[in-house]
Amino acid sequence: MGFLDDAQTMFDRGVSAAKGAVSGVAVEQQAFAKGFARLAADGCAQGWHEGNGGNLSYRLAPEEVASCRSFFYDNPSSWVPMGVRADNLSGEFFLVTASGSHLRNVALDLDANAGIVEVGPAGDAWRIVWGFKDGRMPTSEMAAHALAQSARKEATAGRSRVVYHAHPAYTVALTNVVPLDARTFTRTLWKAMLEAMVAFPSGVGVVPWTVPGGSAIAEATAEVLRDHAVCVWAHHGLMCAGATFDEAFGLAQAVEKAACVHARALMMNGGGDRFASTIPDEGLRGIAEAYGLAVNEAYL
Ligand code: 2HA
Ligand code: ZN
């Protein structure tokens, strides 16, 4: 739904639709918002978002904040504590999916199923400046998104902007049968198929079963994301990050493809993991050299 379809809600929040209409391209029509909606739809097409499963956040660039400002509510919401703190997010703006929203609906109605929050000066609270129509709120995993965004911003000198949480089935299934240490889990995926190491040379970290939605999973995930672009949540899903929507989505695809190959190989092999052939250890080093990858040496 375009913003003019819902002018009454906008007026209720103190926004002049007329002001927005004459001062730029609607938020929904801007490239970052289209990329956000497309990733949500693509994740659904993969079968990774049953019901309201999964969530997505994007850290706006300063010029994107500038081009959205005329559409922001005149009266933002009051500040809501995040339950975690990230100094380097002070003053940042995020487009985030709404709590309870089904990702299949994000592209159809962005300002109901997502919204933009501003992070406060202390990096420990957010307020709504756009979207989250009809009293919606940011995702239940807002704390995890905040600390993940913070960790990846730091790890990539500010390049990373997208954090994506999905429930891909083979990745989740693998957490039932593969030891949950990062080295074993990473090598299992790397050895399943060539593209795995190419896509995630820093490997994947794993957070053992943790109740979602709070600061515990947020802190454990941020610890992993300091030196990995992907964090697997045992018996739940994965959280991954990238500079672009393509990068984050491609990572999730590569992890899930490798998990799928390994799972199918186990099935073909009667359940055992002593395969007739795998990529040997020297083969992994060979991939790293051939592609010039900044590979995590501890996992070779
Ligand atoms: O329902 O995926 O992790 C959203 C989630 C919680
Ligand atoms: Zn989830």
Side-chain angles (χ1 to χ4, degrees):
M1 195 187 297
F3 68 96
L4 284 175
D5 298 335
D6 203 35
Q8 191 54 51
T9 314
M10 304 284 269
F11 280 117
D12 290 347
R13 278 193 135 132
V15 165
S16 157
K19 179 181 82 171
V22 294
S23 58
V25 178
V27 174
E28 289 90 335
Q29 297 307 319
Q30 299 194 26
F32 76 90
K34 287 183 175 177
F36 185 95
R38 180 165 168 236
L39 188 154
D42 286 351
C44 290
Q46 301 283 327
W48 297 346
H49 299 293
E50 71 291 340
N52 64 349
N55 30 70
L56 176 63
S57 66
Y58 173 78
R59 184 168 60 85
L60 275 71
E63 60 276 17
E64 291 163 338
V65 176
S67 61
C68 288
R69 259 193 205 281
S70 62
F71 299 95
F72 286 174
Y73 297 127
D74 286 342
N75 304 311
S77 74
S78 43
W79 293 104
V80 176
M82 268 186 328
V84 293
R85 177 174 174 173
D87 290 341
N88 69 347
L89 298 187
S90 164
E92 294 278 8
F93 289 78
F94 292 93
L95 178 59
V96 195
T97 49
S99 175
S101 76
H102 290 214
L103 263 61
R104 63 193 290 271
N105 294 329
V106 166
L108 301 178
D109 199 356
L110 188 74
D111 63 347
N113 294 290
I116 299 176
V117 294
E118 176 185 6
V119 176
D124 64 353
W126 51 260
R127 64 178 179 182
I128 294 169
V129 299
W130 182 86
F132 297 116
K133 228 166 44 184
D134 305 327
R136 300 282 199 100
M137 299 279 272
T139 170
S140 60
E141 301 288 8
M142 188 60 205
H145 277 267
L147 292 194
Q149 287 278 4
S150 169
R152 293 312 295 167
K153 182 183 177 191
E154 171 88 28
T156 63
R159 283 183 67 253
S160 185
R161 296 196 173 274
V162 180
V163 168
Y164 177 41
H165 167 54
H167 297 169
Y170 285 103
T171 303
V172 177
L174 225 56
T175 65
N176 290 278
V177 298
V178 171
L180 297 180
D181 67 281
R183 185 171 191 275
T184 307
F185 210 88
T186 295
R187 289 168 58 83
T188 299
L189 298 176
W190 278 357
K191 289 198 166 209
M193 62 173 209
L194 159 74
E195 196 63 24
M197 182 192 260
V198 178
F200 44 93
S202 55
V204 304
V206 186
V207 169
W209 166 251
T210 307
V211 174
S215 58
I217 199 163
E219 276 154 17
T221 303
E223 190 60 39
V224 164
L225 292 179
R226 272 185 247 295
D227 43 15
H228 305 81
V230 186
C231 178
V232 169
W233 288 351
H235 319 299
H236 181 163
L238 60 75
M239 187 167 252
C240 62
T244 62
F245 293 105
D246 282 347
E247 206 176 291
F249 191 69
L251 264 175
Q253 283 182 302
V255 170
E256 176 65 354
K257 171 77 78 76
C260 176
V261 170
H262 184 75
R264 289 184 184 193
L266 285 172
M267 290 180 232
M268 292 171 182
N269 204 40
D273 65 358
R274 293 173 69 89
F275 299 130
S277 171
T278 62
I279 301 175
D281 284 3
E282 323 80 78
L284 292 181
R285 283 196 180 277
I287 299 170
E289 279 161 28
Y291 286 79
L293 303 173
V295 69
N296 186 334
E297 281 284 328
Y299 299 162
L300 281 173

